[in-house]
Amino acid sequence: MIDVDVVVVGAGVTGLTAAVRLQQAGREVVVLEARDRVGGRLLTETVDGVRLEIGGQWVSPDQTALLAMAGELGLTTYPRYRDGDSVYIGRDGIRRTFRGDAFPVPEATAAEIKRVAEELDRLASRMDPLVPWEHPDAAHLDQMSFAAWLAAQTDDPEARDNIALYVGPAMLTKPPHTFSALSAVLMAASAGGFHHLLDADFILDRRIAGGLQEVPLRLAARLGDAVHLATPVGHVAWTPSGATVGDYRARHVVLAVPPTLVNRIQFTPALPPVQAQMRQHQSFGLVIKLHITYETPFWRSSGLSGTAFSPYALVHEAYDNTNEDLPADPRGILVGFVSDTKADALLELDAPTRREKVLESLAAYYGPQARHPVAYYESPWQADEWTAGAFGTSFDIGSLTRYGRHLRTPVGPLTFASSDVAGQGFQHVDGAIRMGEAVAGALLRN
Ligand code: FAD
């Protein structure tokens, strides 16, 4: 048995940030990671000769914890390509181009979108995303689905579908009837307001040169042989004063894994029942991130930015994802997303049919050239046993107020952290860094 101060389970950004901060303060730390790589939901990989960001990739200006960490690790950023017109396909099935963040919808619909968005901003401004259950309207908002809340706000279906898009398919990646209005407000508050979710130029502002996985790779390099890969943790034995994990005995264990995967670990003694109950009410959303590579970024020559949206299309959002940090590469890359029930339906099809459907959806935005890529890739997070969904986990209706206060409560020597339990930066890398630093700070004060 090897004695250490802290065992960290999981070498995602949360676990690696916690481990680096603890080690910098002189603590003896080991990180046990199930996969044969670090980074968890961040993976930058070359597939069919194209460098892809298979997991997370974008950074927004308010993600100051991530920007500071990138700076500390010597990483630089570059802006997402966005010059030109964006495309929107409306409820009438007509394709229209536009500039800015207001979709080209009928005037009355635009007014309704603005009004409902302002109401969401008002609700978010009264929420501390670390404690959403303390919102003045928490009980009421958590008891109704976001779809029901939207239906009560406006009779305009296209306004509802657009507002729903920003929180449902694009963020929590669940249908809006399956999560509460309070969870929707949390998503907005955690990103600094609903107006940020509406603004793709803000929320998807920049990328990290070399790919976002550089963050966990460089953190892990600092930890050296304290990181043990291919070491899944299946059992944790604990007492009030310490715990045993595999070959290690520690004063503290940080479980830096998504809540859904905490439930797969056996604890002796078992965790308090409320912990297991709570995590049965948290689940991953489902989104398929698609990378489609072309000989050139052909859409640019017809004046398009590559940005495209439609609540009514299979691919509900798409962007120019060309690797601007590799200027010698002439190829153009589009990234697109198929979410929640559309993803369920897509996954029922065989691979060639899926590809055909996705290319058909892209052709509706960019024209027939979109049907002829040189490479096509679907991120497979839902089939990966060490994630099993994307982008993150969220509560079902009513559970944020019922269980939220237990989210970050330690149990004896055990502490729980991941971007899924963050306030600011919830479900994002920024939140993972904030959680890692908060956990390390709490253990150092202990
Ligand atoms: P994880 O990255 O999930 O790390 C947990 C680690 O624990 C994993 O390495 C896992 O293998 C390991 N593990 C699990 N169980 C065990 C066990 N029993 N024993 C040992 N190890 C275990 N965020 C952004 O900020 N910007 C984006 O553009 C963005 N886009 C995304 C796109 C996709 C497709 C996905 C999937 C996510 C995206 N995200 C984005 C979210 C972001 O990637 C995550 O919020 C963040 O990386 C989570 O970090 P984490 O360390 O909390 O969890």
Side-chain angles (χ1 to χ4, degrees):
M1 200 55 68
I2 304 163
D3 284 307
V4 291
D5 293 315
V6 184
V7 170
V8 175
V9 180
V13 172
T14 302
L16 293 170
T17 300
V20 163
R21 296 300 183 230
L22 288 163
Q23 200 186 59
Q24 282 170 337
R27 299 295 193 273
E28 187 89 25
V29 185
V30 288
V31 181
L32 306 180
E33 166 56 47
R35 290 176 165 112
D36 60 3
R37 62 167 183 86
V38 301
R41 279 170 268 176
L42 299 185
L43 175 60
T44 309
E45 213 167 53
T46 299
V47 183
D48 296 331
V50 192
R51 198 195 68 203
L52 305 177
E53 300 253 48
I54 290 165
Q57 65 169 80
W58 285 294
V59 187
S60 60
D62 63 330
Q63 294 179 336
T64 50
L66 171 53
L67 288 167
M69 181 63 89
E72 181 182 330
L73 296 171
L75 293 165
T76 56
T77 65
Y78 63 94
R80 177 174 62 85
Y81 183 87
R82 65 190 74 162
D83 298 344
D85 291 335
S86 303
V87 180
Y88 173 77
I89 298 175
R91 195 157 183 264
D92 55 8
I94 295 175
R95 171 193 181 279
R96 296 179 175 87
T97 56
F98 69 104
R99 293 269 169 129
D101 59 6
F103 291 163
V105 289
E107 220 171 282
T109 299
E112 282 299 89
I113 292 176
K114 185 167 176 290
R115 192 177 60 74
V116 179
E118 281 169 1
E119 176 59 11
L120 280 166
D121 261 333
R122 193 187 66 79
L123 290 168
S125 70
R126 301 173 76 192
M127 176 184 279
D128 174 351
L130 261 186
V131 285
W133 48 92
E134 291 181 5
H135 188 280
D137 294 331
H140 173 66
L141 292 170
D142 205 26
Q143 281 169 24
M144 73 166 72
S145 75
F146 188 45
W149 183 87
L150 280 170
Q153 298 299 314
T154 175
D155 292 335
D156 186 317
E158 192 158 2
R160 282 201 302 268
D161 294 340
N162 274 305
I163 296 276
L165 175 74
Y166 293 109
V167 185
M171 282 288 161
L172 297 179
T173 65
K174 293 177 173 179
H177 60 272
T178 64
F179 58 86
S180 73
L182 189 67
S183 289
V185 177
L186 165 61
M187 191 68 245
S190 71
F194 188 71
H195 58 289
H196 283 167
L197 300 186
L198 284 174
D199 183 357
D201 286 350
F202 183 90
I203 206 85
L204 310 179
D205 181 30
R206 300 184 80 81
R207 298 175 59 189
I208 298 280
L212 192 46
Q213 198 194 2
E214 279 299 314
V215 170
L217 287 169
R218 291 188 186 199
L219 286 168
R222 290 192 172 183
L223 292 161
D225 57 15
V227 181
H228 300 260
L229 300 179
T231 311
V233 169
H235 182 232
V236 175
W238 61 282
T239 67
S241 59
T244 305
V245 187
D247 297 336
Y248 296 93
R249 198 163 49 200
R251 280 182 54 219
H252 299 283
V253 177
V254 177
L255 290 134
V257 307
T260 42
L261 300 188
V262 173
N263 266 6
R264 290 219 325 238
I265 298 172
Q266 189 196 353
F267 293 89
T268 311
L271 296 179
V274 71
Q275 292 274 331
Q277 278 294 316
M278 170 176 72
R279 294 194 183 93
Q280 288 175 56
H281 293 272
Q282 288 168 283
S283 57
F284 259 103
L286 171 63
V287 63
I288 306 168
K289 183 176 183 181
L290 305 147
H291 277 97
I292 308 95
T293 306
Y294 299 88
E295 271 173 15
T296 61
F298 66 87
W299 50 93
R300 294 184 188 179
S301 50
S302 37
L304 296 180
S305 63
T307 302
F309 298 98
S310 175
Y312 310 103
L314 176 66
V315 179
H316 67 264
E317 60 184 320
Y319 306 93
D320 186 320
N321 211 31
T322 304
N323 293 316
E324 301 291 326
D325 57 331
L326 301 175
D329 188 343
R331 291 171 299 188
I333 306 174
L334 290 173
V335 63
F337 295 89
V338 177
S339 196
D340 63 73
T341 52
K342 289 176 188 159
D344 295 338
L346 195 68
L347 290 171
E348 303 245 324
L349 306 174
D350 61 25
T353 316
R354 287 203 301 274
R355 184 180 190 276
E356 194 186 307
K357 295 265 180 216
V358 166
L359 296 182
E360 186 182 301
S361 187
L362 293 180
Y365 289 130
Y366 308 104
Q369 265 181 287
R371 291 182 191 275
H372 305 290
V374 293
Y376 173 90
Y377 182 81
E378 297 169 358
S379 291
W381 293 101
Q382 69 284 351
D384 187 323
E385 70 168 316
W386 300 112
T387 301
F391 308 114
T393 68
S394 51
F395 275 114
D396 56 20
I397 294 170
S399 296
L400 195 50
T401 45
R402 187 175 172 197
Y403 296 113
R405 67 187 192 284
H406 301 288
L407 263 184
R408 293 177 295 272
T409 309
V411 175
L414 314 176
T415 306
F416 306 93
S418 78
S419 66
D420 311 84
V421 303
Q424 191 178 345
F426 168 57
Q427 289 206 359
H428 285 77
V429 177
D430 184 71
I433 292 168
R434 288 176 196 278
M435 285 298 99
E437 294 193 323
V439 161
L443 295 188
L444 291 171
R445 286 191 294 276
N446 228 297

